[in-house]
Amino acid sequence: MDTPQLVVLNLILLMLVFAVNVKVHAVTTMDALEGEAHHCASAVADATGRTLTLGGTFDLDIVPSPAIVLEDVSLSNADWGGEPKLAKIGHISAKLGLWSLLPGPVRVREFRLHDVDLLLETNEQDEANWEMAVEPEPEPAEQPEVEDEAGAEVPVIIEFAEIRNIQLSYRAPEAEPFVASLAALDITTDEAGYTVLDGKGEVKKLPLRLGGKLGPAQALVSGTDIGIDLDTGLGNVDLKVDGTVGDLATPSGIDLKAVASSDDVAQILERFAVELPLRGTLRVDTAMTSVEAGTRFAVDAKAGEIATTATATHTDGAVRFEVAVPALDKTGKALEIEGLPAEDLAVEGLVLIEPRAYRLQGVTARLGEAEVNFDGTVGQGTDAATELSIRAVGPSLASLSAGLPAIPFKAALNASLAPEQLVLDVIETTFGESDLAGAIDVAMGDKTAINGKLSSQRLDLTPFAADSEEADKEEKPASKAEAGKSESKYVFVEEPLPFEALNTTDIDFHTDIGRLTLDKIVLLDVATAVDLKGGDLHFKNRFAGPEGGSSASDIALTSAGESAELDVNVNMRDLRLNLLSGDIKDP
C-alpha cells in the first residue's frame, strides 16, 4: 500500500482471507474452525509480515447467506512503532447476498463495524507503519489491452451498515498529532433504492457531519447515471454536493456542483495550523462538467476580501486553464502583504502532463498592462530538473510593486533548476534607459558556490534612489532625544564579527558597466570583481570620471578564527565627481 487511505480497505481484505479459506475447506466443527483461523493468521503473517490476532468470537456461515463475525481482532505495528498495535477492531461482521458473489457486484446485506482504533505513523527515516515488509511479487507478463465498452461498476453495494466508535490517529516526527473519530455512521437504503448516509464525528476537535444519498441501486450496479446529493460539514464549514455522474469508466456525462461556505474561515485555518491572516466569510462554488473528450472544472471563490475565479479543461493529458484575481492590493491587505498594486491579475495557458514532467506552453500572467510569459518543463520528483524560458514586458515597473519607479521594462531570461544548482541566463533586460545582461550560476551542495557575470552599457539608478528618498521622507523623524541616544560608546559594534560565515560560501562575481548614473554622479567604465574562497574575501573596483581621471580600489579581508586582517588600497587621480555641487553646468 502506498497511502494511509488504503489501510482500512486492507484490513477488510484481511478479514476476507478468513472467509475465502473457510469456504474452500468447508469447515463444520469448532476445532476445525479454530485450526482454520490459525492457518489464515499464518497466511496473513506471510503476506504482510505482521501478526493478526483473534482474541474473541470467530463465526462463519455459508448458507443460506454467507456471513462472518470477528471480535477482538488486532494487527501488530511496525517494530519501530510507538504502540504495539497498528489496528484494533472490537467487532466486525458482514452478511452477503449469496448469488451476488457470482456475477457481482457483491451486495452487502448487513455490515457492522464497532470500536476500531487505527494508528498511522511515520518515523525520521520516512518509513510508514502501513507499508508491509514483504517480498514483491514478480510482475505478470504484459497483456494486450482489450477495450471494454461497458461502464465501470461499483464493486460493492452496501444495503445496510452500522459503524460505531472509529478513531484514526496519525503521528509524524516534529508534527502535531492528527486525530479524527467517527462516532456513528449509518448506511441504509430508501424506498427509491438510494443509498442514504447519516453520520457524525470529530476531526481535530471540530464536529464532523455526514449526510446525503447516492444511487439509485441500479445506477450503482451499472456505474452509469449515478445521482449524488450530499450535505456534510466540518466545524463551521458546510459542504453541499449535488448532480450526476454519467459513467464511472469515462469522463462523459458528469454534471456536479459543490458549494462550500463558512461564516468565519479563520476557525478552520487555526485548527489545521494554517498560518494565513484570513478573516471573514468563505464561499467556494465549484462545478465539474463533461465536455468533448474531457472534463471542465470551474471555481468561483471568495474568502474575506480575497476573490478569485478559475477554470480548467482536462483533455487527453493536457490542461488548459484560466485564473483571475481582481484588485490584487485587496488580496495583499487581507494576507498582510504590503506593496501589491491595485491591478487585476490574470493567468492562463496550457500544461501538458507527461510521465516525468509538466510541460508549459504559452503560460501567460497579466498584471494590469504588464505581461509575463513562461514556456518549458517543470520536473516531477525531487531529482527532476526544471527548464523555463521567461519573457516579461510592461509600461511601468510600478505596476508590479508600489515601491518601484514608473518606468517601462522588458526582460528575457532562461532559468534552469536542478536538485543542487540554479542557473539564470539573462539574455536581455531593459528598464527605463538602462540595460542588463549576463548569467548567474548558484551551486547548492555542502558549500554554496556563486559564479556570475553581469554587464551593462548604461545603468541609471536615479529613479530607484528617488523613490527611496520619498519613502524616507514619509517616515516619522526621530526626536532629538532619540537621535542623541546611543547604545554603545564605540563607533563599531561590540559583538564579534561573524567571520565563520565567510567559510560557508564561495563567490566569483564580475560586473562591467559602461556608464553608471546615480542622480548627479556619473561613473564610466565601471568594473567590479568579488572573489570569496576559503574564508578570504577580495574586492576590486575601477572606474573613470566623465571629465577624466580614474579610480582603482583593492580591498582584501583575510580571516583566521575569530580575527581578520583588512587591507585597503584606494588610488584616485585627477577625478572630478559632482558629489556636492548640485545641478551645475561646469563640474
Side-chain angles (χ1 to χ4, degrees):
M1 291 178 296
D2 297 324
T3 60
Q5 291 87 341
L6 295 177
V7 173
V8 175
L9 178 59
N10 188 46
L11 294 175
I12 294 175
L13 292 177
L14 292 178
M15 301 303 104
L16 293 178
V17 171
F18 288 88
V20 171
N21 278 274
V22 173
K23 180 180 178 181
V24 171
H25 292 86
V27 176
T28 58
T29 68
M30 183 59 67
D31 291 341
L33 193 61
E34 292 177 355
E36 188 62 26
H38 176 74
H39 168 75
C40 293
S42 299
V44 171
D46 293 339
T48 66
R50 305 291 177 85
T51 301
L52 183 68
T53 303
L54 280 175
T57 302
F58 174 30
D59 283 336
L60 180 73
D61 293 327
I62 302 299
V63 290
S65 295
I68 185 172
V69 178
L70 298 171
E71 292 183 340
D72 194 13
V73 184
S74 64
L75 183 67
S76 65
N77 202 356
D79 295 338
W80 50 264
E83 301 289 342
K85 304 297 183 181
L86 182 152
K88 293 184 288 186
I89 302 176
H91 174 96
I92 179 171
S93 61
K95 182 180 292 185
L96 310 179
L98 177 61
W99 300 111
S100 70
L101 297 176
L102 298 177
V106 176
R107 285 183 175 269
V108 180
R109 304 298 186 190
E110 293 182 9
F111 177 76
R112 287 177 169 85
L113 182 63
H114 296 175
D115 304 322
V116 176
D117 194 348
L118 183 62
L119 171 63
L120 306 180
E121 53 185 341
T122 59
N123 60 16
E124 294 181 352
Q125 287 72 43
D126 203 25
E127 297 175 312
N129 70 338
W130 59 86
E131 295 174 347
M132 307 297 179
V134 294
E135 292 294 329
E137 296 183 1
E139 295 185 2
E142 186 173 344
Q143 299 293 331
E145 294 184 2
V146 178
E147 293 186 3
D148 187 359
E149 297 181 357
E153 297 180 350
V154 176
V156 177
I157 295 179
I158 300 176
E159 296 181 355
F160 172 84
E162 179 185 270
I163 300 174
R164 298 289 186 271
N165 190 26
I166 312 297
Q167 179 164 296
L168 167 66
S169 302
Y170 177 75
R171 302 175 186 172
E174 300 181 0
E176 182 181 351
F178 175 89
V179 178
S181 63
L182 186 62
L185 175 61
D186 293 322
I187 301 176
T188 57
T189 304
D190 65 10
E191 295 179 353
Y194 279 82
T195 298
V196 180
L197 309 176
D198 183 15
K200 61 181 180 179
E202 194 174 79
V203 178
K204 292 184 74 71
K205 298 184 179 181
L206 290 172
L208 171 67
R209 175 175 52 83
L210 300 172
K213 60 183 181 179
L214 307 169
Q218 187 57 40
L220 296 176
V221 171
S222 65
T224 59
D225 298 326
I226 299 174
I228 299 175
D229 184 5
L230 301 178
D231 186 355
T232 65
L234 178 62
N236 64 342
V237 177
D238 294 323
L239 174 63
K240 296 182 179 181
V241 182
D242 67 88
T244 58
V245 175
D247 190 343
L248 290 177
T250 67
S252 63
I254 298 176
D255 185 8
L256 292 175
K257 293 180 175 59
V259 178
S261 59
S262 172
D263 57 0
D264 184 11
V265 68
Q267 182 189 101
I268 293 292
L269 296 177
E270 180 180 358
R271 191 55 57 103
F272 285 91
V274 179
E275 296 183 358
L276 287 176
L278 279 179
R279 298 292 184 271
T281 60
L282 168 72
R283 183 180 175 91
V284 181
D285 290 85
T286 306
M288 181 169 65
T289 55
S290 295
V291 295
E292 185 177 355
T295 308
R296 182 179 185 272
F297 301 86
V299 178
D300 187 351
K302 191 174 189 303
E305 293 296 319
I306 299 178
T308 183
T309 59
T311 61
T313 303
H314 180 272
T315 56
D316 296 329
V319 177
R320 183 170 296 279
F321 68 95
E322 295 181 2
V323 180
V325 182
L328 202 58
D329 58 332
K330 291 185 178 180
T331 299
K333 183 179 179 181
L335 297 176
E336 298 180 357
I337 301 174
E338 297 181 357
L340 295 184
E343 302 283 359
D344 295 345
L345 172 65
V347 185
E348 64 180 11
L350 179 67
V351 179
L352 303 179
I353 304 174
E354 299 179 350
R356 292 280 296 168
Y358 299 102
R359 187 176 299 278
L360 278 57
Q361 290 188 355
V363 176
T364 302
R366 296 183 180 86
L367 185 61
E369 297 183 26
E371 183 175 299
V372 182
N373 297 289
F374 300 88
D375 289 281
T377 59
V378 177
Q380 299 186 53
T382 56
D383 59 341
T386 294
E387 303 279 347
L388 291 177
S389 174
I390 305 171
R391 303 290 184 271
V393 63
S396 174
L397 280 174
S399 64
L400 302 180
S401 176
L404 295 177
I407 55 177
F409 67 93
K410 181 172 65 175
L413 60 92
N414 294 327
S416 174
L417 178 63
E420 293 188 348
Q421 187 175 35
L422 170 64
V423 178
L424 295 177
D425 183 9
V426 183
I427 300 173
E428 178 189 10
T429 298
T430 62
F431 44 94
E433 298 181 356
S434 302
D435 63 86
L436 190 66
I440 301 174
D441 187 331
V442 180
M444 299 162 285
D446 295 334
K447 178 184 285 190
T448 301
I450 302 174
N451 296 278
K453 184 173 183 179
L454 295 176
S455 62
S456 172
Q457 297 181 10
R458 179 187 180 97
L459 187 59
D460 187 357
L461 301 179
T462 304
F464 299 92
D467 284 0
S468 177
E469 291 175 1
E470 290 296 325
D472 291 341
K473 290 178 181 179
E474 293 178 0
E475 292 182 2
K476 183 179 178 180
S479 64
K480 293 183 179 180
E482 291 175 340
K485 185 178 179 180
S486 176
E487 296 182 356
S488 173
K489 64 181 180 180
Y490 301 109
V491 175
F492 298 100
V493 296
E494 299 175 61
E495 291 79 11
L497 297 175
F499 295 123
E500 65 277 2
L502 296 175
N503 291 294
T504 62
T505 306
D506 288 344
I507 299 176
D508 184 7
F509 206 89
H510 298 260
T511 61
D512 290 295
I513 304 172
R515 181 184 180 93
L516 176 63
T517 304
L518 179 59
D519 197 15
K520 303 299 186 299
I521 302 175
V522 178
L523 305 179
L524 305 179
D525 300 326
V526 182
T528 303
V530 179
D531 181 77
L532 172 61
K533 192 168 185 178
D536 295 339
L537 174 65
H538 293 270
F539 174 82
K540 293 183 178 181
N541 171 261
R542 61 175 174 79
F543 63 84
E547 303 296 327
S550 63
S551 171
S553 304
D554 191 346
I555 301 174
L557 178 66
T558 306
S559 62
E562 296 182 354
S563 62
E565 180 178 318
L566 178 65
D567 292 325
V568 179
N569 189 350
V570 180
N571 292 280
M572 295 184 179
R573 181 186 298 274
D574 298 332
L575 272 177
R576 292 185 181 183
L577 300 178
N578 189 5
L579 298 177
L580 302 173
S581 304
D583 190 9
I584 60 174
K585 294 182 179 180
D586 184 4

